[in-house]
Amino acid sequence: CAAWVFWKRKKAVVRASQPFFLVLICVGTFILGTSIYAMGIDDSVASYDGCSAACMATPWLIAVGFSISYSALASKILRLKVLMKHACSFRRIKVKIKDVLLPFAVIIVLNAAFLLTWTLVDPLYWERVFLGRTESGKLSSYGHCTTSGTVSVVMIALVATINFLA
C-alpha cells in the first residue's frame, strides 16, 4: 500500500489524495494488523515473560494502529474542510500538512500517555488456569491475559474514549 503510494506519488490523483496521509493510513493499518500476532502468542511458543509482553503489546498495537489510521483520516477531512470553506469565498489557499496535524498529535500523545501509565502501573500478564483432569486423565487448562488491579480498567476506558470520541 505505502509502496504503491510512493511509486505513484507524482500522479495527479495520488497528489490530490494527500499521499502523506495515505501512507499514514497504511502504516496505522499495518500496526493494527500486527496485533493479531501478539494475540496468538501463548506459553506453547514463548516463555511466561514473553507471553506477558505479548499481552501488553496487544493493546499498544491496537490503540496506536487505530489512532494513526483514524487521525490521518481526521486530518485529511480537516484539510478538505478548510479548502472548501475558502473555496466558497473564491479564495485560493494552500493548506500545509503541518496546519492539520494538531488532532493527529493530540490523539497519539494521549494514547501514548495512557498506555504508558497502564504499562508501568498495572500491566497485563499471562496466566495459565488449571481446571483439573478430564475423564481420560489429561490435565485441562487454558491461558489468558489478566490484570490484578483496577488501573487497567480505567486505562482501557480512557484509551477507548480517546479513540472513539476523538
Side-chain angles (χ1 to χ4, degrees):
C1 176
W4 181 89
V5 171
F6 181 76
W7 184 43
K8 300 284 188 176
R9 70 186 181 280
K10 304 257 187 220
K11 301 286 185 184
V13 157
V14 174
R15 278 196 334 257
S17 299
Q18 307 166 14
F20 176 75
F21 295 111
L22 291 176
V23 170
L24 282 178
I25 292 168
C26 292
V27 168
T29 305
F30 177 78
I31 292 170
L32 183 61
T34 59
S35 67
I36 293 171
Y37 294 108
M39 285 186 246
I41 294 176
D42 66 5
D43 52 4
S44 68
V45 295
S47 66
Y48 171 82
D49 290 336
C51 291
S52 293
C55 285
M56 204 59 230
T58 300
W60 273 91
L61 293 169
I62 290 171
V64 170
F66 178 81
S67 62
I68 288 173
S69 296
Y70 179 78
S71 299
L73 286 171
S75 296
K76 279 176 68 93
I77 291 169
L78 179 61
R79 193 173 189 190
L80 289 173
K81 181 182 174 187
V82 170
L83 287 172
M84 297 309 279
K85 178 181 170 188
H86 290 289
C88 291
S89 61
F90 297 105
R91 291 184 14 211
R92 183 175 179 159
I93 63 162
K94 184 169 184 166
V95 181
K96 296 178 182 164
I97 292 172
K98 68 178 182 172
D99 298 333
V100 294
L101 281 182
L102 183 61
F104 181 85
V106 169
I107 292 171
I108 295 295
V109 167
L110 286 174
N111 266 303
F114 293 145
L115 287 166
L116 187 60
T117 302
W118 182 8
T119 302
L120 295 175
V121 175
D122 188 20
L124 294 173
Y125 61 90
W126 179 257
E127 178 182 57
R128 175 143 308 272
V129 177
F130 292 96
L131 302 173
R133 296 205 177 264
T134 62
E135 293 175 8
S136 63
K138 294 182 181 179
L139 279 176
S140 177
S141 68
Y142 68 92
H144 64 105
C145 297
T146 190
T147 185
S148 58
T150 58
V151 174
S152 290
V153 175
V154 173
M155 290 301 134
I156 289 169
L158 289 171
V159 169
T161 302
I162 291 300
N163 285 316
F164 293 114
L165 295 180

